Amino acid sequence: MKPFIPQLVYIEPQALEYPLGRELKEKFEKMNIEIRETTSHNQVRNIPGDNELQKYRNSKSTLVVGIRRTLKFDTSKPSAEYAIPLATGCMGHCHYCYLQTTLGSKPYIRTYVNLEEIFDQATKYMEERKPELTRFEAACTSDIVGIDHLTHSLKKTIEFIGQTEYGQLRFVTKYHHVDHLLDAKHNGKTRFRFSVNSRYVIKNFEPGTSSFDDRLEAARKVANAGYPLGFIVAPIYMHDDWREGYHELFQRLSSSLDGINLNGLTFELIQHRFTKPAKKVIEKRYPKTKLEMDEEKRKYKWGRYGIGKYVYPTDEAKDLEHTIREYIHSYFPEAEVQYFT
Ligand code: 0TT
Ligand code: SF4
């Protein structure tokens, strides 16, 4: 997997009022990438493509350089108190990805250049909560690591949080392009997590992302750079032979991390879920997917915004949770499982 390079870049004129906006413009000009001006991201209309599917695919390699206007941060339970908005969208093609519905008709990638304003807002939230710590999740609406080699806005955020007394940062990724983050002054306040899964899930549902081995090599680098390390196992999915599949995952994880300092290692466990609208979108965009989304086999769980999701029935969910907790306990007895959801 090569580092992401956009095919097409849109720049909002206001973005050029910020140093990062100007820097990115220059950078993409030098890279000979087509740049278009747009008054606001809502005007990003003419994404090339003869049909919806092509437009969708092209959107995923389009980058919009803009400013974040809403500075109210979303909450981000269970992983953090707040979602810190640095970017939205992702170049990956994971079939189950919730961004397909949460980003609606705007699946292109947007990066925000008004970092100072975003950091000021984060400071306000930390002030309100102190002396309690405030955790910020940077990977709610994108795979931020996967685009950061272009923007370095995550790197700046890591260093910003590193200087705070009451802040913590976390994000999760399926990409291995971490080299520029290794010398960031994180001060131990950023938890760097990698998304991992069984061979079956990665092979069938995660096109356009880094391989398991590449993710693990990146995890070793990050741990050696002193970052607190974590893994998110998501989505946990009941494929044929899932017990063996997930057992093998932990075997491979533990042999790959042999000799690495795993003090403070964490795991987060998220079972597969889908909403009715998501199912429709997924069937259109990935018509050959093997992803099972049969409402009859699931339990309906009421959710935020009145739109419920389908999760595994209670007994199956318990089986998943216990089985995986058991594997973690036997391969990583010191690790903390932060939640199963
Ligand atoms: O598969 C998606 C599910 O995973 C969502 O229910 C959120 C959850 N999730 C994702 C999680 O439990 N832990 C994480 O670290 C996430 C990667 C980040 C996250 C996203 C979160 O912790 N809490 C959230 O509320 N989200 C938001 O969920 C972002 C997006 O707007 C929304 C999608 O349901
Ligand atoms: Fe979605 Fe993450 Fe896959 Fe990107 S890498 S498509 S954000 S699940």
Side-chain angles (χ1 to χ4, degrees):
M1 173 64 34
K2 293 220 178 73
F4 169 67
I5 305 288
Q7 269 169 20
L8 173 62
V9 169
Y10 285 87
I11 302 185
E12 295 172 15
Q14 268 182 291
L16 298 173
E17 292 167 18
Y18 297 83
L20 180 56
R22 294 191 291 272
E23 203 184 292
L24 289 175
K25 180 164 188 258
E26 216 173 283
K27 176 180 201 134
F28 295 130
E29 279 168 356
K30 282 201 186 125
M31 293 167 80
N32 279 323
I33 297 173
E34 185 189 344
I35 300 179
R36 298 181 186 173
E37 286 224 346
T38 171
T39 46
S40 109
H41 83 95
N42 289 317
Q43 244 125 26
V44 181
R45 287 220 177 82
N46 306 318
I47 299 242
D50 296 334
N51 54 50
E52 248 191 81
L53 203 60
Q54 270 186 22
K55 279 182 197 286
Y56 168 70
R57 299 194 79 89
N58 290 332
S59 294
K60 281 206 162 251
S61 50
T62 299
L63 181 70
V64 180
V65 178
I67 61 167
R68 178 73 182 188
R69 292 185 178 80
T70 12
L71 283 169
K72 189 177 179 295
F73 292 6
D74 280 331
T75 57
S76 181
K77 292 286 169 221
S79 74
E81 278 70 50
Y82 290 105
I84 185 164
L86 302 175
T88 60
C90 177
M91 55 283 162
H93 277 278
C94 303
H95 296 181
Y96 52 73
C97 180
Y98 63 73
L99 299 184
Q100 301 193 59
T101 40
T102 54
L103 297 182
S105 56
K106 303 182 181 72
Y108 42 81
I109 303 165
R110 300 170 66 197
T111 184
Y112 303 118
V113 296
N114 53 332
L115 292 178
E116 292 305 321
E117 285 156 30
I118 295 167
F119 295 167
D120 286 348
Q121 186 64 39
T123 304
K124 283 187 194 147
Y125 288 125
M126 286 181 275
E127 283 293 318
E128 277 173 20
R129 288 178 46 85
K130 77 179 190 193
E132 294 283 328
L133 294 177
T134 303
R135 294 169 302 168
F136 295 97
E137 173 66 66
C140 272
T141 52
S142 76
D143 191 308
I144 187 74
V145 173
I147 52 178
D148 203 59
H149 63 95
L150 296 168
T151 64
H152 286 207
S153 50
L154 181 61
K155 184 171 193 180
K156 291 186 185 110
T157 309
I158 291 170
E159 298 199 328
F160 160 69
I161 294 288
Q163 289 170 11
T164 64
E165 199 175 348
Y166 298 106
Q168 290 188 340
L169 181 68
R170 58 200 315 179
F171 45 80
V172 58
T173 186
K174 293 191 181 97
Y175 291 90
H176 70 279
H177 310 104
V178 301
D179 288 357
H180 72 291
L181 299 172
L182 298 178
D183 68 352
K185 295 176 198 68
H186 57 75
N187 218 355
K189 293 184 194 268
T190 289
R191 182 169 295 280
F192 210 126
R193 299 119 94 213
F194 289 86
S195 172
V196 291
N197 222 311
S198 67
R199 264 183 216 278
Y200 180 92
V201 171
I202 295 180
K203 172 166 168 261
N204 288 297
F205 306 133
E206 299 185 351
T209 66
S210 295
S211 68
F212 178 85
D213 290 329
D214 285 348
R215 294 179 207 175
L216 263 291
E217 190 188 327
R220 291 192 295 271
K221 288 183 186 172
V222 156
N224 288 332
Y227 280 96
L229 181 67
F231 291 100
I232 297 200
V233 190
I236 301 173
Y237 180 78
M238 277 191 154
H239 53 80
D240 286 348
D241 301 326
W242 63 270
R243 282 174 216 281
E244 292 73 22
Y246 284 97
H247 184 239
E248 193 213 12
L249 164 64
F250 290 99
Q251 260 174 337
R252 287 165 88 201
L253 260 188
S254 105
S255 67
S256 156
L257 293 170
D258 193 33
I260 302 285
N261 176 5
L262 296 176
N263 242 336
L265 180 69
T266 58
F267 285 91
E268 293 155 73
L269 311 179
I270 309 174
Q271 62 168 310
H272 179 243
R273 74 266 326 271
F274 62 92
T275 61
K276 257 195 201 307
K279 177 177 171 174
K280 270 200 191 140
V281 175
I282 293 166
E283 284 170 344
K284 259 203 212 135
R285 290 179 176 167
Y286 305 103
K288 292 193 198 123
T289 189
K290 290 186 182 155
L291 192 65
E292 173 275 306
M293 292 174 289
D294 182 352
E295 291 89 338
E296 301 283 298
K297 294 187 181 157
R298 301 292 182 109
K299 177 177 102 174
Y300 186 74
K301 198 170 160 192
W302 294 94
R304 274 201 294 185
Y305 317 118
I307 162 97
K309 56 198 171 206
Y310 292 90
V311 295
Y312 287 107
T314 312
D315 288 347
E316 287 181 5
K318 282 214 173 103
D319 192 8
L320 286 172
E321 177 176 2
H322 293 154
T323 306
I324 291 189
R325 278 185 188 271
E326 211 20 68
Y327 295 155
I328 293 173
H329 188 69
S330 71
Y331 284 97
F332 300 99
E334 310 285 313
E336 175 198 355
V337 178
Q338 296 192 311
Y339 55 84
F340 171 93
T341 180

